[in-house]
Amino acid sequence: MPAQPEGDPAPEDGALPAGAVARASERTLSLYVHVPFCAVRCGYCDFNTYTMEQLGDGVSRDDYHRDAAAEVRFARSVLDAAGAPPRALHSVFFGGGTPTLLPARELANMLGQARQSFGLAPDAEVTVEANPDSVTAETFDVLAEAGVTRVSFGMQSAVPHVLRVLERTHTPANVPRAVGWAKERGLGTSVDLIYGTPGESVADWRTSLEAALEMDSDHVSAYSLIIEDGTKL
């Protein structure tokens, strides 16, 4: 990964540095909620994610939505203490990990806390990342009712042998079905693809790209596979 630009030192008391709120009224405000749970850790992933086996005994997903909601409230208090002007959220993104490993009602509760703490702009985009095998039609009923506007599906490939190398566990046929469920409920959709997997041919890539286009999603993201230090791959 490229080096991040240098910023202001973080104050030891946990407050925001003055530069973080300078001209804040001129900028939009967004919220990223990280859900660090995965059923299987993919061999190429260097994100902050964990399977339950990696976390060990005594760790549960059950309390995560309450902890995350508390962090949202804390973030608002820190901004207030720094003198940042109140601003409604321009966008909210639930990423991971696999957010849809949590019950949809818990994702809705976290979004509700964000709305209560900050408010949502009338045109706010609210996105949830999803694994095609961890959702049902009812998942999208709950998410749409809660105010989610878009679902980003981790497709990666439509070719089974490519998915096996990436250690993706979803069934390719479940991707268009899940996208269809989301679209039926008026949700925007996007699908993510990865190209350059060892053993993937140009024909394999064409198969995946054509499968993604056939779903008629609002957006397709294509990422080249990067082998990160310390990952299994």
Side-chain angles (χ1 to χ4, degrees):
M1 294 293 288
Q4 299 302 306
E6 291 187 5
D8 295 334
E12 294 182 0
D13 61 1
L16 286 175
V21 294
R23 300 187 303 278
S25 61
E26 303 171 13
R27 302 194 300 264
T28 57
L29 182 67
S30 297
L31 175 68
Y32 174 74
V33 181
H34 188 65
V35 180
F37 305 118
C38 283
V40 174
R41 185 173 182 84
C42 299
Y44 61 90
C45 180
D46 71 338
F47 292 169
N48 180 26
T49 63
Y50 307 91
T51 66
M52 296 312 294
E53 290 76 16
Q54 288 173 317
L55 287 171
D57 294 337
V59 177
S60 171
R61 298 185 188 126
D62 297 342
D63 295 329
Y64 191 78
H65 68 109
R66 287 185 284 270
D67 294 337
E71 284 291 322
V72 171
R73 293 192 295 272
F74 177 68
R76 180 55 196 260
S77 70
V78 170
L79 285 169
D80 289 344
R87 288 167 293 165
L89 294 170
H90 175 73
S91 65
V92 180
F93 193 97
F94 290 88
T98 309
T100 48
L101 279 182
L102 298 182
R105 289 291 178 193
E106 294 183 5
L107 296 172
N109 289 344
M110 287 186 276
L111 179 57
Q113 184 61 66
R115 182 183 286 108
Q116 180 179 335
S117 295
F118 292 97
L120 293 179
D123 60 346
E125 181 179 78
V126 181
T127 303
V128 173
E129 286 188 332
N131 182 304
D133 284 0
S134 65
V135 294
T136 65
E138 290 71 27
T139 300
F140 302 116
D141 287 332
V142 175
L143 296 181
E145 181 183 7
V148 171
T149 64
R150 185 171 78 99
V151 183
S152 177
F153 291 93
M155 176 181 174
Q156 318 314 356
S157 176
V159 180
H161 79 83
V162 175
L163 291 172
R164 284 196 295 272
V165 173
L166 294 173
E167 296 187 90
R168 300 291 296 188
T169 59
H170 68 267
T171 302
N174 285 346
V175 181
R177 182 172 63 174
V179 169
W181 285 335
K183 291 169 68 174
E184 287 168 3
R185 285 144 182 87
L187 295 170
T189 59
S190 61
V191 294
D192 291 348
L193 295 173
I194 291 178
Y195 61 88
T197 299
E200 181 181 47
S201 66
V202 173
D204 291 334
W205 172 241
R206 180 182 294 276
T207 295
S208 296
L209 189 57
E210 289 178 347
L213 294 175
E214 285 175 5
M215 287 180 246
D216 195 27
S217 285
D218 302 298
H219 181 82
V220 176
S221 293
Y223 304 94
S224 63
L225 178 65
I226 298 174
I227 310 300
E228 300 288 2
D229 290 343
T231 60
K232 183 177 177 182
L233 189 57

